[in-house]
Short mmCIF file of all heavy atoms in Angstrom, two decimals:
data_model
loop_
_atom_site.label_atom_id
_atom_site.label_comp_id
_atom_site.label_asym_id
_atom_site.label_seq_id
_atom_site.Cartn_x
_atom_site.Cartn_y
_atom_site.Cartn_z
N ALA A 12 28.03 -7.13 12.07
CA ALA A 12 29.25 -7.15 11.27
C ALA A 12 28.96 -6.78 9.82
O ALA A 12 27.86 -6.99 9.33
CB ALA A 12 29.87 -8.54 11.33
N LYS A 13 29.96 -6.25 9.15
CA LYS A 13 29.82 -5.92 7.72
C LYS A 13 29.59 -7.18 6.91
O LYS A 13 28.90 -7.16 5.90
CB LYS A 13 31.06 -5.18 7.24
CG LYS A 13 31.22 -3.81 7.87
CD LYS A 13 32.50 -3.14 7.45
CE LYS A 13 32.65 -1.84 8.20
NZ LYS A 13 33.95 -1.23 8.00
N ASP A 14 30.19 -8.30 7.33
CA ASP A 14 29.99 -9.60 6.69
C ASP A 14 29.61 -10.59 7.78
O ASP A 14 30.48 -11.21 8.41
CB ASP A 14 31.28 -10.03 5.97
CG ASP A 14 31.14 -11.33 5.20
OD1 ASP A 14 30.21 -12.13 5.51
OD2 ASP A 14 31.96 -11.57 4.31
N ALA A 15 28.30 -10.72 8.03
CA ALA A 15 27.82 -11.53 9.15
C ALA A 15 28.24 -13.00 9.01
O ALA A 15 28.61 -13.63 10.00
CB ALA A 15 26.30 -11.42 9.26
N ALA A 16 28.20 -13.54 7.79
CA ALA A 16 28.59 -14.94 7.59
C ALA A 16 30.04 -15.16 8.00
O ALA A 16 30.38 -16.15 8.67
CB ALA A 16 28.36 -15.37 6.15
N LYS A 17 30.90 -14.23 7.62
CA LYS A 17 32.32 -14.33 7.97
C LYS A 17 32.51 -14.24 9.48
O LYS A 17 33.29 -15.00 10.07
CB LYS A 17 33.10 -13.22 7.27
CG LYS A 17 34.59 -13.28 7.49
CD LYS A 17 35.29 -12.20 6.68
CE LYS A 17 36.78 -12.20 6.94
NZ LYS A 17 37.46 -11.15 6.17
N SER A 18 31.78 -13.33 10.13
CA SER A 18 31.87 -13.19 11.58
C SER A 18 31.34 -14.43 12.30
O SER A 18 31.93 -14.88 13.29
CB SER A 18 31.12 -11.95 12.07
OG SER A 18 31.86 -10.80 11.76
N ARG A 19 30.24 -14.98 11.80
CA ARG A 19 29.71 -16.20 12.42
C ARG A 19 30.74 -17.32 12.34
O ARG A 19 30.97 -18.05 13.31
CB ARG A 19 28.38 -16.59 11.78
CG ARG A 19 27.24 -15.67 12.18
CD ARG A 19 25.90 -16.19 11.74
NE ARG A 19 25.69 -16.10 10.31
CZ ARG A 19 25.05 -15.11 9.70
NH1 ARG A 19 24.58 -14.10 10.39
NH2 ARG A 19 24.89 -15.12 8.40
N SER A 20 31.37 -17.45 11.20
CA SER A 20 32.40 -18.47 11.02
C SER A 20 33.58 -18.21 11.96
O SER A 20 34.10 -19.14 12.60
CB SER A 20 32.87 -18.48 9.56
OG SER A 20 33.91 -19.40 9.39
N PHE A 21 34.00 -16.98 12.06
CA PHE A 21 35.12 -16.58 12.91
C PHE A 21 34.86 -16.96 14.37
O PHE A 21 35.66 -17.66 15.00
CB PHE A 21 35.33 -15.06 12.77
CG PHE A 21 36.37 -14.48 13.68
CD1 PHE A 21 37.70 -14.52 13.34
CD2 PHE A 21 36.00 -13.85 14.86
CE1 PHE A 21 38.68 -13.95 14.17
CE2 PHE A 21 36.95 -13.28 15.70
CZ PHE A 21 38.29 -13.34 15.34
N TYR A 22 33.73 -16.51 14.92
CA TYR A 22 33.42 -16.78 16.33
C TYR A 22 33.14 -18.25 16.59
O TYR A 22 33.52 -18.79 17.63
CB TYR A 22 32.26 -15.90 16.81
CG TYR A 22 32.67 -14.47 17.01
CD1 TYR A 22 32.35 -13.49 16.08
CD2 TYR A 22 33.41 -14.09 18.13
CE1 TYR A 22 32.74 -12.17 16.27
CE2 TYR A 22 33.81 -12.78 18.33
CZ TYR A 22 33.48 -11.82 17.39
OH TYR A 22 33.87 -10.52 17.58
N SER A 23 32.51 -18.90 15.64
CA SER A 23 32.26 -20.34 15.77
C SER A 23 33.56 -21.11 15.85
O SER A 23 33.73 -22.02 16.68
CB SER A 23 31.41 -20.81 14.59
OG SER A 23 31.17 -22.19 14.70
N GLU A 24 34.51 -20.76 15.00
CA GLU A 24 35.80 -21.44 14.97
C GLU A 24 36.61 -21.19 16.25
O GLU A 24 37.19 -22.11 16.82
CB GLU A 24 36.60 -20.98 13.75
CG GLU A 24 37.85 -21.77 13.48
CD GLU A 24 37.60 -23.20 13.02
OE1 GLU A 24 36.55 -23.45 12.40
OE2 GLU A 24 38.45 -24.04 13.30
N ILE A 25 36.63 -19.97 16.71
CA ILE A 25 37.40 -19.63 17.91
C ILE A 25 36.82 -20.26 19.17
O ILE A 25 37.54 -20.84 19.98
CB ILE A 25 37.50 -18.10 18.09
CG1 ILE A 25 38.37 -17.49 17.01
CG2 ILE A 25 38.04 -17.74 19.47
CD1 ILE A 25 38.37 -15.98 17.01
N PHE A 26 35.50 -20.10 19.36
CA PHE A 26 34.87 -20.48 20.62
C PHE A 26 34.07 -21.78 20.57
O PHE A 26 33.54 -22.22 21.59
CB PHE A 26 33.97 -19.35 21.13
CG PHE A 26 34.72 -18.08 21.40
CD1 PHE A 26 34.40 -16.92 20.70
CD2 PHE A 26 35.74 -18.03 22.33
CE1 PHE A 26 35.08 -15.74 20.95
CE2 PHE A 26 36.44 -16.85 22.58
CZ PHE A 26 36.11 -15.70 21.88
#
Side-chain angles (χ1 to χ4, degrees):
K13 294 176 185 171
D14 183 339
K17 183 176 178 181
S18 285
R19 287 190 288 264
S20 177
F21 175 83
Y22 286 103
S23 179
E24 189 69 29
I25 291 173
F26 299 119

